[in-house]
Amino acid sequence: MNEEIAKALERAHRVLIITHIDPDGDAIGSLLGLGLALEKMGKKVTMACENPVPRRFLYLPGSDRVVPYPMGSFEIVVALDASDLRRLGKAYSPELYGELPLINIDHHVTNPGFGTLNWVDPEAAATAQIVLELVEGMGAPLEPDVATCLLNGIVTDTRGFRTVNTTPQTLEAALKLQRAGANLVEVMENVFDRRPLGVLRLWAHILSQAQLEDRIIWAEKPRSLLEKFGLNDEGNYGLTNFMVGVEEADVAVIFSEKPGGEIDVSMRSVPGVDVSKVAAKLGGGGHPQAAGCRLKGTFQEVREKVLKELRKAL
Ligand code: 5GP
Ligand code: MN
């Protein structure tokens, strides 16, 4: 438990909580879980993320409350699941909020500790696992809606308790959340078993174009595919994870075109290969088996740069 962070939040009345761009289930689960818990303590809470909540997480309580550009007067800012300050995107305005204390709660091994106060625990399987400890430490009530959001974070970041960082502590946290009223089956179904048809069509397209060289399987996702398959830009629904399951590969990479001439690089690796170091070297971050970065350039330029670094790491 980080007492200093718990105390700082207990003292504050108006809290701004921000999670990272292109949010995943841990980002949204941690954001809503902490936000709702602080509200139950009587605080005024604003929850922010530059990009909309992906549709598979819209079932979560409070998902309609997330705003892209928070306005108002706050006493403290909390960053959740963000491996560096840039990952907060435009939801964090240094001009407006740079003077306020910034609490950094995260579990990425590459996190540089950019906050005024930092709680970075790379042993935690999910940021939601740390948030649970914080909520308990502050003596906030652990009600079913909070528990569901936090379980959503743990389940998604561990891919259903399958990643190497799933420890007894992770399972204990999940058990606690289930006992508090989170519906494990509902979480699993929403995050893993339901997806729009367009996502299947997108997968089929990407997989048919995937290339394998030097035990690296990679594919490109131009923005035109979003319109073609009627999709929003809300992630790949776990396709990079699926690709790293290919027996002939140790690393999987999806290059996704983003607005503003940037390419997002999503990487996965088998245990024993550390993609977080490669991501950090390229200005990004992540976990040993799941990491990423954003680079300017064309697909070809970015691909050559990334594959070169990955070959060195293999
Ligand atoms: P994903 O591939 O699921 O988008 O992200 C993999 C992991 O790397 C996540 O934990 C994510 O937070 C972290 N990460 C840090 N910086 C970046 C980035 O610039 N792009 C991506 N894709 N992931 C990043
Ligand atoms: Mn996470």
Side-chain angles (χ1 to χ4, degrees):
M1 237 306 279
N2 187 312
E3 301 284 349
E4 224 184 334
I5 286 179
K7 291 239 160 60
L9 280 174
E10 280 168 46
R11 275 195 303 269
H13 302 287
R14 286 163 287 121
V15 185
L16 170 60
I17 319 180
I18 309 175
T19 196
H20 64 77
I21 54 173
D22 291 344
D24 54 22
D26 189 28
I28 297 297
S30 299
L31 181 76
L32 300 176
L34 180 61
L36 297 177
L38 289 171
E39 279 183 349
K40 289 175 204 294
M41 295 171 74
K43 299 176 191 305
K44 193 168 176 302
V45 179
T46 297
M47 300 180 272
C49 177
E50 184 184 315
N51 303 111
V53 176
R55 59 190 284 168
R56 60 195 177 285
F57 307 127
L58 288 177
Y59 82 99
L60 290 172
S63 62
D64 55 336
R65 303 250 327 266
V66 180
V67 298
Y69 309 115
M71 300 290 268
S73 106
F74 306 102
E75 292 157 56
I76 199 162
V77 184
V78 185
L80 291 171
D81 201 41
S83 54
D84 59 61
L85 197 56
R86 269 194 318 165
R87 292 280 289 166
L88 295 180
K90 297 195 186 90
Y92 180 72
S93 158
E95 292 79 41
L96 294 177
Y97 309 122
E99 301 293 310
L100 299 176
L102 175 63
I103 296 182
N104 165 22
I105 300 177
D106 185 36
H107 70 134
H108 292 93
V109 66
T110 54
N111 191 303
F114 57 83
T116 324
L117 295 174
N118 300 283
W119 187 350
V120 178
D121 179 6
E123 306 266 290
T127 297
Q129 197 181 316
I130 308 174
V131 172
L132 171 61
E133 207 179 321
L134 174 63
V135 167
E136 288 183 304
M138 292 189 301
L142 188 60
E143 288 175 15
D145 52 352
V146 172
T148 299
C149 295
L150 296 181
L151 189 60
N152 184 88
I154 292 177
V155 162
T156 50
D157 255 23
T158 61
R159 295 194 291 116
F161 308 107
R162 287 185 293 164
T163 54
V164 283
N165 56 359
T166 304
T167 60
Q169 286 73 26
T170 315
L171 295 178
E172 267 162 17
L175 178 63
K176 210 175 263 175
L177 294 168
Q178 194 183 30
R179 286 219 166 98
N183 187 333
L184 180 63
V185 173
E186 185 196 19
V187 173
M188 293 279 195
E189 228 173 67
N190 276 290
V191 303
F192 295 129
D193 293 340
R194 304 292 299 172
R195 52 185 74 85
L197 178 61
V199 169
L200 261 67
R201 301 231 194 273
L202 174 76
W203 282 4
H205 180 93
I206 292 182
L207 289 171
S208 72
Q209 313 268 315
Q211 311 267 333
L212 178 77
E213 314 165 27
D214 305 329
R215 300 198 64 80
I216 304 168
I217 184 165
W218 59 268
E220 292 173 355
K221 183 183 160 197
R223 279 193 91 63
S224 56
L225 291 182
L226 297 174
E227 203 184 325
K228 180 170 180 178
F229 299 118
L231 297 170
N232 300 323
D233 190 5
E234 51 177 42
N236 300 323
Y237 283 74
L239 182 57
T240 336
N241 291 317
F242 183 62
M243 281 167 57
V244 83
V246 164
E247 282 180 0
E248 293 83 355
D250 292 329
V251 175
V253 193
I254 296 182
F255 299 94
S256 304
E257 191 183 356
K258 294 284 168 181
E262 280 189 323
I263 305 234
D264 185 85
V265 183
S266 166
M267 297 184 275
R268 295 291 184 276
S269 62
V270 297
V273 178
D274 186 343
V275 282
S276 73
K277 293 205 178 101
V278 173
K281 201 163 169 193
L282 295 168
H287 309 292
Q289 265 70 65
C293 59
R294 271 182 185 224
L295 297 170
K296 288 243 184 233
T298 62
F299 272 123
Q300 192 185 340
E301 287 162 355
V302 170
R303 186 206 327 137
E304 280 171 6
K305 206 175 211 175
V306 171
L307 294 188
K308 188 170 147 224
E309 287 305 325
L310 283 172
R311 281 194 197 100
K312 278 196 235 164
L314 278 168

